[in-house]
Amino acid sequence: MKVIELREYKLKPGKTEQWLCWMEEEILPLQRSKGMKIISTYIHKGDDGADYFIWLREFDDEASRQAISAETYDEAWIRDFRPKVFQHIEQDAVRVRLLNPVQL
């Protein structure tokens, strides 16, 4: 069964445009090259006035989600990307939710 992952990041003040450019130019191409399907991306203005980056990723199943994540978030990611990620987003405000389809 397909797995849909909803990710929500609270962006630091003044970092929205930089974040969006970096996502478009580096992060999304990298993740797509590893086999992630990016369904959609959004910006939401929270009640707290902060910008939130929200995106949906799709995987064939949980096993492929785990395998692709392990391949993506490797030592190079930790060394080269992770520090820059947290220059743009609030580390303690990252939310990741798995969505379960409902047949109505």
Side-chain angles (χ1 to χ4, degrees), residues 3 9 13 19 26-27 30 35-36 40 47-48 55 57 72 82 86 91 104:
V3 173
Y9 306 153
W19 175 256
E26 293 187 47
I27 298 207
L30 171 69
M36 290 186 195
S40 196
D47 293 339
D48 59 1
W55 53 319
R57 303 189 309 189
T72 302
R82 195 170 197 272
F86 293 118
Q91 187 169 356
L104 300 176

Side-chain angles (χ1 to χ4, degrees), residues 10-82:
K10 182 178 181 180
L11 299 172
K12 291 184 176 181
K15 296 293 186 174
T16 300
E17 290 306 316
Q18 288 177 330
W19 175 256
L20 294 175
C21 287
W22 192 46
M23 284 293 289
E24 181 178 25
E25 294 170 4
E26 293 187 47
I27 298 207
L28 294 181
L30 171 69
Q31 294 200 353
R32 287 180 176 123
S33 77
K34 302 291 185 177
M36 290 186 195
K37 179 180 178 189
I38 311 303
I39 297 173
S40 196
T41 58
Y42 309 89
I43 288 289
H44 167 71
K45 181 72 77 179
D47 293 339
D48 59 1
D51 286 341
Y52 289 80
F53 181 76
I54 300 167
W55 53 319
L56 299 169
R57 303 189 309 189
E58 180 181 85
F59 303 89
D60 289 335
D61 52 34
E62 180 58 23
S64 68
R65 184 177 86 88
Q66 294 294 327
I68 291 169
S69 293
E71 184 179 328
T72 302
Y73 302 118
D74 58 6
E75 288 181 27
W77 174 271
I78 292 167
R79 181 187 63 243
D80 301 331
F81 286 89
R82 195 170 197 272

Side-chain angles (χ1 to χ4, degrees), residues 87-101:
Q87 290 175 5
H88 293 86
I89 69 174
E90 299 289 350
Q91 187 169 356
D92 61 345
V94 172
R95 295 180 64 179
V96 179
R97 292 171 271 189
L98 299 182
L99 305 178
N100 297 309

